[in-house]
Amino acid sequence: MNRKIKFLASLIIAVIICTSLTVFAGTYSPTQVPYENYTYWEGFSGDLKKAVYSKAMYYAEKQITDQSIGTEKFNEIKDVFSGEDGKVYILDSRASRIIILNSDYSLLKEFKNVTDGSSSISFAGASGIFVTQDGRIFIADTENARVLVTDNDGRLMKELGLPQSPLIPEGFEFRPTKIAVTSKNDIYILSDGSFYGALVLDNHFNFKGFYGSNTVKSSFADGVANLWNRLFMSDNKRENSEKNLPFQFTDLCMDKDGFIYTTTGKTESGENVNGQIKKLSPAGNSILGGDSYNYADEGYADVKGNSIETRVQDLLSLDVDDNGYIFALDSTYGRVFVYSPESRLMTAFGGGVGKGTRLGIFSSACAVAEHNGDVLVCDSTNNNITVFSPTEYGIACMKANQLTSGGDYIAAEPLWKEIIAEDSNNQLAYAGLCKAYMANGDYKTALRYAKEGYDRELYDQAFSQVRKEFMNQHFALLFFGLVFVVAATITAVIIIKNKKVSIIKNGNIRLLFETVGHPVLSFDRIKEKHEGSVLISTALIIVYYAVTVLKSMFSGFSFNYFDEASFNALFILVRSVGAVLLWSICNWAVGALFGGKGTLKEIYITVGYCLLPLIFGDAVYLAVSNVLTSDEGAFLGIFSTIMIMATAFYITVGMIRIHDYSFGEFVLTSILTVIGMVLIIFFLFLVGVLLQQLAGFIITLVTELITVLGG
């Protein structure tokens, strides 16, 4: 017995040490975000995004200031617009001034106020400008509740107030902030405080309706609560109750094809939302495919892990270039996020968190515009515009992505290889190379790049072709091998049955497998005849832990989100082995209080034997997931669920037979067992926290004593 105990202890320690040391590589916090140029990798664990440094696609080239262009001092720069005529238009809001620059950012002309014959109209407090192809300037005069339409010299052509229409709600406050005008001269106006979307006017300035409002997301519980309130709430309470309103747009722009893009900033509750950037169809529906995607940053911490003040991101402005690339500005942190036409983040740059102490960071970033490849960012506090120019690396990334998006994978291949050589953190490059090798018919290499780039969709496509080639080459061998295995199995079963051969000599091991087909009789033998083995039960628990770790690490890539930076085998140890031990101890303690007849040894053996379906299920999952694509693996989830239900069934039968319980008594004691497990976990956590604080106090005390004695 002593040898068995020593062997068992050695086995447990060896498994724990090996799996912990070889697998555990530290934990990753999704709030770690670098402040230099960076991007996010996707596909690690569901929707989890991982921030990584990236080579700079843009660099801060210069600042446009009143001194650099030779004009009077800027008062409050509020917006910037890049016109199709190649000129740059700057809105100096508080000074009621428009500054027009040449394409090289030199001063062309400017005008202060709008002239209407002999009178002068101020637009101090305006928030946005838009310039049409024919040179008309639309000014969103927010504080004066109007839109001014002028020519290129500031002469008034039209003044637009709140349209008169029964479609506009009573009491609607018209405070225009942003404007976009299509090639057909349809006018889209955002109004501050409006939750109905953009106001749309036709080319004759007639109101056509609201366009593209956000929707309120609600759960099933919210729907039930609303129905209850409608049925039973009084009229007075109903009128005074708060209504859930959609979040308003903060900016809109238009691409070369006339599609409207919008962005939504922070919510009133201070929580980030999904789908902040939208590309709207003519019907006002989002067609970008990012309604469930959280743009910009999800967390806020220094890349080194240093804590900073947490603030809520606010996507305040956006622009789209002629190739469909989206430039979104987070005014809270002063970062510019560049997205591909497919809504994949390519890079993020800028920053400052309100400091704005050097070139490339901001105090109050308020607007962004793309101009001939450059990115212009307004700072309303420092009253300047920072010009970010693309690097050679950035130009190559844009060109390679355009070729890939256009289906010219072969031409994009050498560019993607150069990009990976310069920056291995470019996830889009791996996808681009995967598509290039698939186009060349080299599916094995494509498979490798898809896996390195964590692109499971492309991995499935390449894997299907690799598997097809393998089957074509080895079909005969696989077919006859399968026939031989089936025939040999059937023959062995017949021989064993006819000659009554006993393959398993050990009674305890034979009892383990008999448990699967005859659980009631097997658990009765454990209780009444004291059969069953603690050693076998312990071995099963260890095997269950090992298989769980292997499943997490080595199951098929299409089904596996293993990340060595966040994987912790010790957590799985607690979740598997720890759960079994806790259940055994707590169930024994509860049983002692409620008349349960099972001993701790019997409970432990029973639970260990009941893990057999889980072990079998995980082993099958591990093997089969490596030969299926994600579309073909739907049955794996069903199979795993069946194995879990089988284990639960065996535990139910086992506890009832071991304790001599009725089903009701089993349910009651199981609930109390779970409560006991939770209390023990809480107690252990509390003890751990206290020990940590005690250790910190002792270290501080020793440090101070050393300092005092040393002084």
Side-chain angles (χ1 to χ4, degrees):
M1 180 62 72
N2 289 334
R3 286 185 177 181
K4 289 185 176 181
I5 294 174
K6 289 181 179 179
F7 172 75
L8 181 60
S10 301
L11 181 62
I12 295 173
I13 294 172
V15 171
I16 293 174
I17 292 176
C18 290
T19 53
S20 301
L21 293 182
T22 58
V23 176
F24 179 67
T27 57
Y28 164 73
S29 171
T31 61
Q32 292 177 347
V33 178
Y35 287 135
E36 302 296 332
N37 296 275
Y38 65 98
T39 187
Y40 284 105
W41 273 51
E42 301 176 6
F44 282 89
S45 180
D47 295 329
L48 176 65
K49 299 188 297 184
K50 183 174 182 178
V52 296
Y53 282 114
S54 67
K55 188 168 183 176
M57 290 182 61
Y58 290 86
Y59 70 98
E61 181 182 9
K62 61 182 178 181
Q63 286 181 339
I64 300 173
T65 64
D66 44 37
Q67 295 178 345
S68 69
I69 62 174
T71 185
E72 66 180 77
K73 186 175 181 179
F74 291 146
N75 204 315
E76 184 186 23
I77 294 180
K78 201 70 174 179
D79 199 9
V80 61
F81 185 84
S82 175
E84 294 190 25
D85 55 5
K87 300 181 180 64
V88 177
Y89 297 78
I90 302 173
L91 171 63
D92 189 355
S93 176
R94 194 175 299 172
S96 183
R97 182 168 58 143
I98 301 292
I99 300 99
I100 304 175
L101 307 181
N102 293 305
S103 59
D104 61 354
Y105 309 116
S106 61
L107 180 64
L108 176 63
K109 60 182 177 180
E110 61 181 301
F111 62 84
K112 191 170 185 178
N113 297 335
V114 172
T115 59
D116 183 14
S118 59
S119 62
S120 178
I121 302 173
S122 171
F123 50 86
S127 299
I129 56 173
F130 186 93
V131 183
T132 62
Q133 295 177 357
D134 56 12
R136 289 179 299 160
I137 302 175
F138 285 72
I139 304 172
D141 192 1
T142 310
E143 297 302 326
N144 295 302
R146 62 191 176 187
V147 173
L148 300 175
V149 186
T150 77
D151 62 14
N152 216 249
D153 294 312
R155 290 186 290 266
L156 183 67
M157 301 176 66
K158 186 73 175 179
E159 180 178 333
L160 305 175
L162 177 64
Q164 299 299 314
S165 171
L167 298 176
I168 298 178
E170 184 179 352
F172 184 89
E173 186 177 3
F174 188 55
R175 289 175 53 82
T177 56
K178 301 293 179 181
I179 301 170
V181 183
T182 68
S183 58
K184 296 180 180 180
N185 291 320
D186 288 333
I187 306 167
Y188 294 78
I189 304 172
L190 291 185
S191 179
D192 185 32
S194 171
F195 304 100
Y196 305 100
L199 293 88
V200 184
L201 282 64
D202 61 20
N203 56 353
H204 298 294
F205 307 109
N206 298 313
F207 181 68
K208 296 173 62 177
F210 290 98
Y211 175 77
S213 64
N214 284 318
T215 57
V216 178
K217 298 179 181 179
S218 59
S219 62
F220 175 77
D222 294 331
V224 173
N226 290 334
L227 179 61
W228 176 270
N229 292 335
R230 286 187 179 185
L231 293 174
F232 301 103
M233 186 179 287
S234 65
D235 293 339
N236 185 37
K237 287 185 177 181
R238 191 178 296 112
E239 290 177 359
N240 295 326
S241 62
E242 295 183 359
K243 296 181 178 180
N244 292 327
L245 297 174
F247 308 121
Q248 70 179 61
F249 295 136
T250 54
D251 196 9
L252 82 168
C253 66
M254 184 176 59
D255 66 12
K256 66 176 182 178
D257 297 321
F259 286 100
I260 298 295
Y261 291 72
T262 64
T263 183
T264 303
K266 58 186 178 182
T267 71
E268 292 181 0
S269 61
E271 297 177 354
N272 295 338
V273 296
N274 294 330
Q276 305 98 313
I277 298 175
K278 293 184 177 181
K279 178 181 180 181
L280 301 177
S281 68
N285 301 317
S286 177
I287 57 176
L288 190 61
D291 278 354
S292 60
Y293 185 78
N294 187 290
Y295 291 84
D297 292 327
E298 293 182 344
Y300 315 97
D302 189 273
V303 70
K304 298 178 181 179
N306 300 324
S307 298
I308 65 169
E309 179 183 358
T310 300
R311 306 184 186 187
V312 179
Q313 67 180 23
D314 187 2
L315 291 183
L316 188 63
S317 179
L318 86 162
D319 199 8
V320 180
D321 69 6
D322 290 341
N323 295 312
Y325 291 99
I326 304 168
F327 302 85
L329 175 65
D330 171 23
S331 64
T332 302
Y333 285 85
R335 297 175 187 154
V336 179
F337 296 85
V338 183
Y339 292 93
S340 70
E342 298 78 27
S343 196
R344 292 289 299 271
L345 180 65
M346 301 193 70
T347 188
F349 58 89
V353 198
K355 297 178 180 179
T357 54
R358 57 182 174 85
L359 181 65
I361 60 177
F362 314 100
S363 293
S364 300
C366 61
V368 65
E370 188 275 338
H371 175 71
N372 294 338
D374 292 343
V375 179
L376 312 180
V377 181
C378 293
D379 190 326
S380 60
T381 297
N382 293 331
N383 281 318
N384 57 40
I385 297 175
T386 302
V387 179
F388 291 90
S389 296
T391 63
E392 291 184 5
Y393 172 79
I395 294 172
C397 289
M398 294 289 194
K399 183 177 179 181
N401 191 72
Q402 286 171 234
L403 290 171
T404 298
S405 298
D408 196 352
Y409 307 127
I410 307 301
E413 179 185 346
L415 284 174
W416 287 128
K417 286 185 176 179
E418 292 178 6
I419 289 167
I420 282 187
E422 292 188 48
D423 181 10
S424 59
N425 282 338
N426 192 314
Q427 190 177 26
L428 289 176
Y430 294 95
L433 285 172
C434 177
K435 293 177 181 178
Y437 280 105
M438 281 198 293
N440 276 326
D442 188 354
Y443 297 108
K444 290 185 178 179
T445 305
L447 194 69
R448 176 169 61 85
Y449 278 113
K451 190 171 184 179
E452 290 179 0
Y454 286 86
D455 195 318
R456 287 169 175 79
E457 183 178 351
L458 290 178
Y459 181 89
D460 280 347
Q461 296 175 22
F463 180 75
S464 296
Q465 296 298 324
V466 171
R467 188 180 60 184
K468 182 179 179 181
E469 291 179 353
F470 180 83
M471 291 296 293
N472 289 336
Q473 295 173 5
H474 303 90
F475 177 77
L477 179 63
L478 292 173
F479 176 76
F480 288 111
L482 179 62
V483 170
F484 174 78
V485 170
V486 172
T489 303
I490 294 174
T491 303
V493 170
I494 293 174
I495 293 173
I496 292 171
K497 185 175 182 181
N498 291 337
K499 295 189 176 183
K500 298 181 180 180
V501 178
S502 179
I503 299 177
I504 303 175
K505 303 297 183 181
N506 186 288
N508 289 324
I509 297 178
R510 189 165 56 250
L511 176 64
L512 168 65
F513 291 102
E514 289 176 353
T515 302
V516 176
H518 307 282
V520 175
L521 295 177
S522 299
F523 293 134
D524 284 345
R525 288 166 60 185
I526 292 175
K527 177 64 181 175
E528 297 172 2
K529 298 182 179 180
H530 306 292
E531 296 184 12
S533 168
V534 173
L535 180 62
I536 292 176
S537 182
T538 302
L540 286 170
I541 294 172
I542 295 173
V543 171
Y544 171 58
Y545 165 64
V547 172
T548 304
V549 171
L550 292 174
K551 176 186 174 184
S552 300
M553 294 177 61
F554 301 113
S555 56
F557 180 73
S558 296
F559 307 90
N560 185 12
Y561 289 91
F562 172 73
D563 179 14
E564 64 179 11
S566 59
F567 185 77
N568 190 342
L570 292 176
F571 174 74
I572 295 181
L573 177 68
V574 173
R575 193 181 66 185
S576 56
V577 178
V580 171
L581 294 177
L582 265 182
W583 172 273
S584 300
I585 294 171
C586 291
N587 189 263
W588 169 72
V590 170
L593 295 174
F594 287 85
K597 297 180 180 179
T599 65
L600 180 59
K601 176 183 176 182
E602 293 167 349
I603 296 171
Y604 180 77
I605 292 173
T606 300
V607 174
Y609 280 28
C610 290
L611 292 177
L612 196 59
L614 278 182
I615 295 171
F616 176 72
D618 285 350
V620 171
Y621 189 101
L622 175 63
V624 176
S625 64
N626 280 282
V627 297
L628 297 179
T629 65
S630 56
D631 292 336
E632 300 165 344
F635 87 94
L636 280 177
I638 299 174
F639 177 76
S640 296
T641 302
I642 292 174
M643 292 298 101
I644 293 172
M645 294 175 63
T647 299
F649 169 75
Y650 288 133
I651 289 178
T652 301
V653 174
M655 294 299 102
I656 289 175
R657 304 307 297 180
I658 291 297
H659 288 295
D660 194 17
Y661 279 154
S662 66
F663 181 75
E665 291 173 328
F666 163 74
V667 172
L668 175 61
T669 54
S670 296
I671 293 173
L672 294 175
T673 298
V674 172
I675 294 174
M677 293 170 66
V678 172
L679 291 176
I680 290 176
I681 293 172
F682 175 75
F683 175 75
L684 293 175
F685 174 77
L686 187 62
V687 170
V689 171
L690 293 175
L691 289 176
Q692 186 179 19
Q693 292 179 348
L694 178 62
F697 171 75
I698 294 174
I699 292 173
T700 303
L701 182 62
V702 171
T703 303
E704 291 181 356
L705 287 174
I706 293 174
T707 303
V708 172
L709 295 175

